[in-house]
Amino acid sequence: MARTSSSKENAQALFHSLRSAYAATPVNLKIIDLYVGFAAFTALIQVVYMASVGSFPFNSFLSGVLSCVGTAVLAVCLRIQVNKENKEFKDLPPERAFADFVLCNLVLHLVIMNFLG
Amino acid sequence: MARRLAGFLVLLLVVSICEAAFLFQPISDSHRSTALELFTPDHGSFKSLEETYEALRTFQILGIEKKPDLTATACRSISETVGSSSSTAKDLFYALKANSIAECKIDKKASKGIISRLKAAVSGASSLLDFYYSVGGLVLIKDQSSEADVHLADAEGVFRSVKAFSQSDGRWRYSSNNPESSAFAAGIALETHAGIVSLASSEIDQSLISTLKNDIIKLFDSIEKYDDGALYFDDKLVDGHEYQGPVSTTSSVLRGLTAFAAVTAENLNLPGDKILGLAKFFLGIGVPGDAKDFFNQIDSLACLESNRVSIPLILSFPSTVLSLTRKDSLKVGVSTVLGSEVPSLTVKLVGAFSSGSKDASLVESQELNFDKTSGLHILNDLPKSIDVGSYTFVFEIVLHEPKHEEVYFKGSQTKVPISVTGLIKIENSEIAVLDSDLGSIESQKKLDLAGKNAISLSANHLQKLRLSFQLTTPRGRSFKPHQAFLKLRHESKVEHIFVVGNSGKQFEIVLNFLGLVEKFFYLSGKYDMELTVGDAAMENSLLVAIGHIELDLPEAPEKAPRPPPQPVDPYSRYGPKAEITHIFRAPEKRPPQELSLAFLGLTILPLLGFLIGLLRLGVNLKNFPTKPLPATFAVLFHVGIGAVLLLYVFFWVKLDLFQTLKILGFLGGILVFVGHRILSHLAAASAKLKSA
C-alpha cells in the first residue's frame, strides 16, 4: 500500500517538476513545440479517417500523413538548431536555421502537392 | 482410188485401236451442221478470197448445197480481182481457186491478161510463195479457160529454182534470205513442183523427180506420233508469225503429196500405215471449232479419200458397252473417211480376250452378218463364253474382190475394248452372331439384299459376327466385284469399313470382336450396318442398310486410343461466337460525403488549436522592422511565401509540374533574395543587441 502510493506520488512529483521545468523554456521554443503538436494531431486525424473509410486513394493518404510528419521533423530540426542550450549549433545564427526550415518546407510541400493527386 | 483410201483408213483405224482405245468416227452430219455455222459470211461476203475459197471447197466436199447468193457474191469478187490490174499473184491465185468451184465465167480478154501476168510473175519470182501463187494460178487458169496453150517455157529452170529452197532434212525454206525451214513450206513446194510438171511443155528430167521423191521420204522421217497412232507434221515454234500449227502443216504436206502423186507415174512407195496415221490424226480432231482448222481437216480427208496411194477404211462402233440383260448385239460399221460407200466386204471377229489376260481367245473366229437396211455388220448373239466384264475384241476386214486390195488399205487386225454388263444374282445372304470358341450360332437371320432390311442383333466382345452371300453372273459363273464392303457406324458417327473376301462364289466376312475391341475404341452401343457391293459390269450394284447391332465392349483402359474427332459442323466452328460484354472494374466504394466533410472539419481543428495556443503564449509582432526598407523586405518575404503556397494550391488544382516549376523558379529566386536581405538584417540587429 505504501509502495503503490509512493509510486503514485512519485509520478505526480515527476509530472509537476516536468511542468515547471517546461515553463522555463523560451517562448520561441514553445512556439515550435506547439507547431509540432499541431502537425502530429493533424496526422493522427488523417490516420483515423483512413482507418474508418479505407485506404482508397492511398497516395492521397500517404501524401497527407507524410506532409504532417515531414513538417514536424523539420520543425524539430529547427528547434534543435535554435536552442541556445545546444552547444553543437552555437555558431549557427537562428535566422539561418529558420531560412533552412522555410526552404525545406517549401520543397517538401511541392513534392507533397505532386503526390496528392 | 476412193475405196483404196477407205480401206487404208479402216486399217489405220484398226491399228490405232491396238495402241489405245480411241475410236475414230468418220465425217457425219454433225460436221455438216457445224460447217454451216462456221462458214457464215459477214454481210453476205467473206473477208477475203482465201476464205471464200475455203468455204466453197468445204461445202463442196461435205455435199452441202451451194447457196445462190453466196455464189453470186463470190463471182462478183472474183471478177473484180480478175479484172483489176493491181491484183497480185496471190489474189489471182485465190480468185481462180474459188472460181474452180463457183464456176463463174471469165472472159477471154481477162484470162489472156491473167496468163501473161502470171507468166511474168513466174519469171520474176524470188521466194517460194511467189512461185507457188504464180504456178498454181497458171495451173488453175489452164483448167478453167478455153485457152489450151498454157505452158511454162523453162519448166526445168523453174523446177530447179524451187528445188533450190529445199533443205537436206526434207523441209523447205521460204526464201533465200530466211534460213528457217518448215514442213508447211515443204507442202507448198511439193504442190508447186506438181504444178510445174503438169505445165511443162516438154518432159522434165526424171532424175529431178526422183530427187523430189527422196525429199518426200526424208520429210516423212520427221513425222511425229501420238500414242493412239495418229501421225502428224509439226514445225518448231520459232517465230509466232510463221508458225502454222500441226493441223495446217499436216494438211499442207498432204495436199502437196497428193498433188505430186497425181502427176508422177511412179509409185511413191509410201507405207500404208503412214497414210493411215495421217487419217487418224485428222479424224481424231473431231469437229473443229475454227474455220481454218475445219477447212484443213475436210480438205485433207478429201485428199486421202481420192488419192492414188491408198484409201483407208474405218471401223466405227455405235456402242462399245453391251448389256446381257437387254440382249444387245455387237454392231460394226465400215466406211471411208468422209463416210462414203465401201466395196462389199466382210468383217470377221477373229478373237476375244479378257482385259489384261494373255490367255487364248474366248471365242472362235466367226463372220458378222451384214444387215443391208442399216448398213452395219452385226454379231447377233454374244457367245456363251462372254460373261460380264471387259474384253478386247479383235476384228479383221476381208474384201470380197482382190482388185480392191490395191485401191483400199485394210491393214491387219483391229483391237477394240468392249464392256459387257449384266445383272448379278445375290443369293443365300445371311447374317449370324457366333460364340467365339465353339463357333456355335447364337442368332442367325436371313437377309434380303435386294429389298429393305431391319435386322437387330446384339453381341458382346467374346462373340463373332458372320455375314455371307453368293454372287453369280448371268452365265452362272463366280463373280468378284470391285467393291464388297461392310461398314459399321457407331452412334457417335465413328465408322469402320471391312472388305468382304470370297472363295469362288461364296462371299463371307467374320468379325471377331475380341480382336477388334481396340480398333473400335472400346465404344459400346448401337452400330448401324451397311453393305456395299459394286462393279462397273454390274447393273444392280447395291448399297443397303442391313440393320443394327448392339455391341457390348469392355471399358476402355487408361492408355486406350481415343476415337478420332468427327468432322464438326463448319458453321458451328467457324461461325460467329457469343458476344462478349466488357465488365468494367467496379469503382471503389467511397465514403459518404458527409463523413468526409466532417473529417475535413476535424482536420482544421488542430490548426485552430495552434493559433489559440500561439495567442496564449503571447505571440507579438514587436520584432517587426520599423524602418521602411527592411519593412518592405519583410512584407515581401511573407508575401513571397504566401505566393508559393498559393502556387502549390494552383498546382494541385490545375497546373502541371513543368509550369509549376517554371513559376516556382521565378518566385523562388525573388524569395531567396528577399529572405536573405531580411534575415541578415534581423541577424545583424540581434548581434548588435547581444554585443550591446
Side-chain angles (χ1 to χ4, degrees):
Chain A
M1 269 318 247
R3 293 245 177 125
T4 54
S5 62
S6 70
S7 65
K8 199 169 143 196
E9 276 172 18
N10 283 343
Q12 273 186 332
L14 186 64
F15 184 63
H16 281 307
S17 68
L18 273 173
R19 233 179 126 183
S20 56
Y22 188 68
T25 56
V27 174
N28 51 354
L29 293 183
K30 282 192 193 160
I31 293 170
I32 295 174
D33 291 337
L34 193 60
Y35 182 74
V36 171
F38 145 67
F41 260 116
T42 314
L44 186 68
I45 288 174
Q46 284 178 66
V47 169
V48 166
Y49 179 66
M50 191 271 297
S52 63
V53 301
S55 70
F56 183 80
F58 195 57
N59 57 311
S60 309
F61 162 70
L62 277 182
S63 158
V65 167
L66 287 178
S67 92
C68 297
V69 169
T71 197
V73 165
L74 286 171
V76 166
C77 292
L78 181 64
R79 192 185 195 280
I80 292 170
Q81 287 172 345
V82 160
N83 198 356
K84 288 193 179 56
E85 289 165 25
N86 197 346
K87 296 296 176 239
E88 201 179 331
F89 292 100
K90 196 163 55 132
D91 295 325
L92 185 71
E95 285 77 16
R96 171 69 198 278
F98 180 67
D100 285 342
F101 171 74
V102 167
L103 186 68
C104 291
N105 258 321
L106 288 178
V107 171
L108 173 72
H109 283 91
L110 174 68
V111 173
I112 289 301
M113 288 311 235
N114 194 19
F115 198 52
L116 197 58
Chain B
M1 169 118 73
R3 289 184 289 181
R4 187 179 295 207
L5 200 60
F8 204 67
L9 277 171
V10 170
L11 183 62
L12 252 63
L13 188 61
V14 173
V15 171
S16 76
I17 293 169
C18 285
E19 279 113 357
F22 193 89
L23 297 171
F24 299 98
Q25 301 290 343
I27 301 299
S28 62
D29 283 332
S30 56
H31 270 87
R32 291 189 175 84
S33 52
T34 314
L36 284 168
E37 276 173 31
L38 281 176
F39 289 104
T40 44
D42 254 346
H43 308 297
S45 70
F46 292 96
K47 281 201 291 282
S48 67
L49 279 167
E50 193 176 341
E51 286 185 21
T52 316
Y53 160 64
E54 285 173 7
L56 288 171
R57 176 88 175 120
T58 309
F59 291 151
Q60 183 191 47
I61 297 170
L62 288 177
I64 298 174
E65 292 232 338
K66 269 186 286 193
K67 288 197 281 261
D69 51 344
L70 183 63
T71 324
T73 47
C75 277
R76 262 206 304 278
S77 41
I78 288 168
S79 42
E80 234 179 77
T81 315
V82 160
S84 132
S85 54
S86 63
S87 317
T88 59
K90 182 174 171 180
D91 297 328
L92 287 173
F93 172 71
Y94 281 114
L96 290 168
K97 257 205 180 295
N99 198 31
S100 64
I101 306 172
E103 287 168 355
C104 315
K105 287 272 171 259
I106 304 181
D107 61 22
K108 262 190 184 293
K109 191 158 154 292
S111 53
K112 268 202 173 49
I114 291 170
I115 292 171
S116 55
R117 280 221 303 262
L118 286 173
K119 280 194 180 169
V122 170
S123 18
S126 58
S127 77
L128 179 62
L129 286 172
D130 292 338
F131 279 112
Y132 174 61
Y133 293 131
S134 42
V135 170
L138 282 172
V139 170
L140 289 163
I141 196 83
K142 180 175 169 190
D143 290 328
Q144 288 170 27
S145 78
S146 44
E147 288 274 325
D149 195 16
V150 180
H151 290 294
L152 272 178
D154 181 21
E156 273 202 26
V158 179
F159 197 97
R160 275 185 224 277
S161 333
V162 177
K163 185 83 176 62
F165 292 119
S166 72
Q167 306 273 72
S168 55
D169 59 355
R171 293 184 149 101
W172 255 259
R173 291 196 316 274
Y174 281 105
S175 68
S176 35
N177 3 358
N178 190 357
E180 297 301 329
S181 63
S182 68
F184 186 82
I188 291 180
L190 286 172
E191 261 190 86
T192 317
H193 280 300
I196 296 168
V197 168
S198 67
L199 287 173
S201 44
S202 56
E203 277 291 319
I204 298 222
D205 191 4
Q206 281 301 94
S207 60
L208 285 171
I209 297 189
S210 2
T211 52
L212 212 53
K213 274 174 57 182
N214 290 337
D215 283 331
I216 292 175
I217 293 172
K218 272 186 281 190
L219 184 64
F220 268 77
D221 284 340
S222 71
I223 206 167
E224 298 185 44
K225 206 165 123 62
Y226 282 135
D227 281 340
D228 57 5
L231 300 172
Y232 64 101
F233 292 96
D234 198 8
D235 293 321
K236 282 196 296 284
L237 176 60
V238 176
D239 178 2
H241 291 295
E242 297 290 334
Y243 182 65
Q244 300 286 340
V247 179
S248 300
T249 312
T250 315
S251 77
S252 159
V253 170
L254 198 53
R255 269 197 287 273
L257 194 63
T258 319
F260 191 70
V263 296
T264 58
E266 299 174 32
N267 202 356
L268 279 177
N269 283 337
L270 275 178
D273 52 348
K274 288 261 173 22
I275 303 290
L276 191 59
L278 291 170
K280 273 191 222 178
F281 172 70
F282 285 110
L283 285 175
I285 297 172
V287 182
D290 174 49
K292 191 91 175 165
D293 283 343
F294 197 97
F295 163 71
N296 279 325
Q297 181 200 36
I298 298 294
D299 194 34
S300 313
L301 289 174
C303 288
L304 286 169
E305 181 109 337
S306 56
N307 74 0
R308 271 182 46 180
V309 183
S310 260
I311 302 173
L313 291 167
I314 304 183
L315 279 176
S316 59
F317 293 83
S319 161
T320 52
V321 177
L322 308 168
S323 164
L324 285 176
T325 328
R326 288 196 309 255
K327 295 199 190 311
D328 287 343
S329 32
L330 182 62
K331 296 190 178 116
V332 184
V334 184
S335 68
T336 66
V337 201
L338 289 178
S340 327
E341 287 289 319
V342 292
S344 60
L345 48 82
T346 319
V347 178
K348 255 169 64 166
L349 173 65
V350 172
F353 304 90
S354 222
S355 285
S357 85
K358 301 270 184 218
D359 298 336
S361 166
L362 296 164
V363 300
E364 51 200 42
S365 181
Q366 52 192 275
E367 291 188 357
L368 275 71
N369 299 324
F370 180 63
D371 178 22
K372 282 202 173 45
T373 44
S374 62
L376 297 170
H377 301 259
I378 302 179
L379 182 68
N380 278 323
D381 297 307
L382 284 173
K384 286 275 178 288
S385 52
I386 301 289
D387 206 347
V388 295
S390 23
Y391 298 91
T392 309
F393 280 36
V394 184
F395 295 94
E396 208 178 67
I397 298 177
V398 176
L399 290 164
H400 286 166
E401 286 175 55
K403 69 174 195 281
H404 289 153
E405 303 264 339
E406 289 161 36
V407 178
Y408 294 92
F409 186 62
K410 67 172 175 66
S412 59
Q413 299 168 338
T414 309
K415 294 203 180 91
V416 185
I418 301 276
S419 262
V420 182
T421 64
L423 286 173
I424 303 292
K425 282 199 288 284
I426 307 179
E427 298 162 319
N428 298 341
S429 43
E430 58 183 26
I431 187 163
V433 173
L434 312 170
D435 276 327
S436 184
D437 295 336
L438 305 170
S440 64
I441 296 170
E442 192 206 296
S443 56
Q444 183 175 26
K445 306 255 171 73
K446 283 234 174 296
L447 292 171
D448 174 23
L449 287 173
K452 282 192 179 311
N453 295 284
I455 307 287
S456 177
L457 295 170
S458 66
N460 61 33
H461 66 287
L462 295 171
Q463 293 174 321
K464 294 193 247 196
L465 177 74
R466 184 182 70 194
L467 170 71
S468 59
F469 52 90
Q470 273 181 346
L471 294 177
T472 321
T473 66
R475 302 269 196 229
R477 296 203 193 89
S478 68
F479 179 71
K480 189 160 160 61
H482 290 146
Q483 300 171 328
F485 303 132
L486 175 66
K487 180 159 86 169
L488 267 72
R489 182 171 53 233
H490 187 241
E491 307 161 305
S492 63
K493 308 272 183 257
V494 175
E495 295 178 343
H496 306 278
I497 299 179
F498 303 93
V499 177
V500 181
N502 74 319
S503 57
K505 288 189 197 171
Q506 177 76 1
F507 279 77
E508 189 178 275
I509 180 169
V510 176
L511 294 180
N512 188 356
F513 293 120
L514 196 60
L516 289 173
V517 167
E518 202 166 308
K519 186 170 179 302
F520 281 18
F521 303 112
Y522 296 89
L523 290 170
S524 301
K526 188 167 125 172
Y527 281 80
D528 289 323
M529 295 184 290
E530 216 172 62
L531 179 68
T532 308
V533 178
D535 192 87
M538 194 168 149
E539 283 170 17
N540 57 333
S541 300
L542 54 88
L543 171 66
V544 291
I546 296 176
H548 59 90
I549 177 168
E550 282 285 336
L551 268 188
D552 184 20
L553 300 175
E555 283 291 319
E558 284 284 317
K559 292 285 175 69
R562 315 273 314 138
Q566 295 307 304
V568 181
D569 171 28
Y571 194 70
S572 71
R573 185 190 283 179
Y574 298 114
K577 285 196 153 29
E579 191 139 332
I580 304 171
T581 49
H582 183 72
I583 303 168
F584 288 95
R585 185 174 58 127
E588 293 276 341
K589 210 167 51 124
R590 304 309 297 264
Q593 208 166 357
E594 301 81 19
L595 186 66
S596 305
L597 288 172
F599 265 92
L600 184 64
L602 274 181
T603 314
I604 303 296
L605 276 181
L607 183 62
L608 291 175
F610 175 63
L611 290 173
I612 294 167
L614 280 181
L615 284 174
R616 281 195 49 190
L617 282 173
V619 158
N620 54 32
L621 282 172
K622 281 194 198 126
N623 215 10
F624 201 81
T626 45
K627 285 189 236 162
L629 188 62
T632 325
F633 280 133
V635 166
L636 274 177
F637 180 64
H638 290 289
V639 164
I641 292 180
V644 171
L645 292 176
L646 192 64
L647 173 68
Y648 285 168
V649 171
F650 274 121
F651 174 37
W652 184 45
V653 173
K654 203 166 97 144
L655 299 175
D656 67 45
L657 187 63
F658 298 104
Q659 292 165 312
T660 315
L661 284 177
K662 270 194 288 204
I663 302 173
L664 185 64
F666 174 61
L667 282 176
I670 300 174
L671 194 62
V672 163
F673 172 67
V674 168
H676 178 70
R677 288 303 295 271
I678 183 65
L679 287 171
S680 55
H681 174 262
L682 280 175
S686 65
K688 216 177 355 175
L689 206 60
K690 213 195 286 185
S691 62

